[in-house]
């Protein structure tokens, strides 16, 4: 639950160095009280002009926003109830061709490489997230390497066209 709050706090620090970059939360936040807490935090940090919440958008708009982004951030804590496995959200982010900053958790640590496919942080604290965001944006070469590496990894290892070929070979015998 603190993941989104930590992203906002991290962005506050990041925004001091990169004031021309904004941050969008795409999608519906169903818990109204929590959404109001997030909006209050944005106001408290004086980030109303830099952070926006789109609410629910259709799939076409979601894809457009993802491809127009410059960085994707996943702040799910290591001890999350929803931990383990491979989150489809991370896979979508990798396919976007944007660099991904995420906590070194779930099974992704067994597949993705730090600073090649993603930028892993130790934890989802605002300090760790902002340091990661700052490093990625301060180094164009690193940002490009992670973006391309993540997309190539997704295209090879998470592409259903490739993954289903052996199954079709058996079925079509």
């Amino acid at each position: 639950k603190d993941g989104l709050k930590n992203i906002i706090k991290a962005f506050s620090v990041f925004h001091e160095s990169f004031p021309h970059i904004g941050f969008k939360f795409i999608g519906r936040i169903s818990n109204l009280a929590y959404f109001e807490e997030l909006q209050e935090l944005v106001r408290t940090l004086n980030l109303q002009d830099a952070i926006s919440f789109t609410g629910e958008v259709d799939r076409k708009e979601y894809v457009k926003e993802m491809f127009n982004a410059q960085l994707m951030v996943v702040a799910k804590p290591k001890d999350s109830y929803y931990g383990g496995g491979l989150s489809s959200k991370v896979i979508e982010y990798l396919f976007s061709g944007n660099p991904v900053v995420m906590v070194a958790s779930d099974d992704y640590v067994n597949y993705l490489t730090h600073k090649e496919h993603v930028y892993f942080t130790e934890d989802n604290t605002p300090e760790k997230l902002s340091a990661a965001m700052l490093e990625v944006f301060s180094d164009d070469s690193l940002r490009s390497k992670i973006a391309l590496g993540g997309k190539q990894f997704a295209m090879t290892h998470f592409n259903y066209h490739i993954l289903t070929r052996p199954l079709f070979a058996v079925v079509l015998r």
Side-chain angles (χ1 to χ4, degrees), residues 7 9 20 39 46 51 65 74 84 115 124 133:
I7 289 173
K9 292 173 186 174
H20 60 285
Q39 289 179 311
N46 198 27
I51 294 180
E65 292 286 358
V74 181
K115 293 187 178 181
N124 77 336
M133 293 165 68

Side-chain angles (χ1 to χ4, degrees), residues 4-57:
L4 298 182
K5 289 180 182 177
N6 288 352
I7 289 173
I8 292 169
K9 292 173 186 174
F11 179 77
S12 176
V13 173
F14 170 85
H15 192 64
E16 292 173 15
S17 297
F18 294 94
H20 60 285
I21 295 176
F23 200 97
K24 282 187 183 181
F25 288 94
I26 311 296
R28 180 173 51 96
I29 298 172
S30 56
N31 181 327
L32 185 57
Y34 184 60
F35 179 57
E36 289 171 356
E37 288 177 33
L38 295 176
Q39 289 179 311
E40 180 58 32
L41 181 58
V42 168
R43 284 189 294 274
T44 300
L45 296 172
N46 198 27
L47 293 170
Q48 304 92 306
D49 293 335
I51 294 180
S52 62
F53 298 89
T54 66
E56 192 167 351
V57 297

Side-chain angles (χ1 to χ4, degrees), residues 122-139:
E122 295 174 33
D123 202 352
N124 77 336
T125 64
E127 297 79 18
K128 297 285 185 190
L129 292 171
S130 64
M133 293 165 68
L134 286 165
E135 183 175 350
V136 169
F137 262 86
S138 297
D139 185 338

Side-chain angles (χ1 to χ4, degrees), residues 105-140:
S105 64
D106 297 338
D107 289 340
Y108 282 111
V109 296
N110 300 316
Y111 301 99
L112 302 173
T113 303
H114 177 58
K115 293 187 178 181
E116 287 185 29
H117 308 118
V118 297
Y119 190 106
F120 281 128
T121 65
E122 295 174 33
D123 202 352
N124 77 336
T125 64
E127 297 79 18
K128 297 285 185 190
L129 292 171
S130 64
M133 293 165 68
L134 286 165
E135 183 175 350
V136 169
F137 262 86
S138 297
D139 185 338
D140 291 340

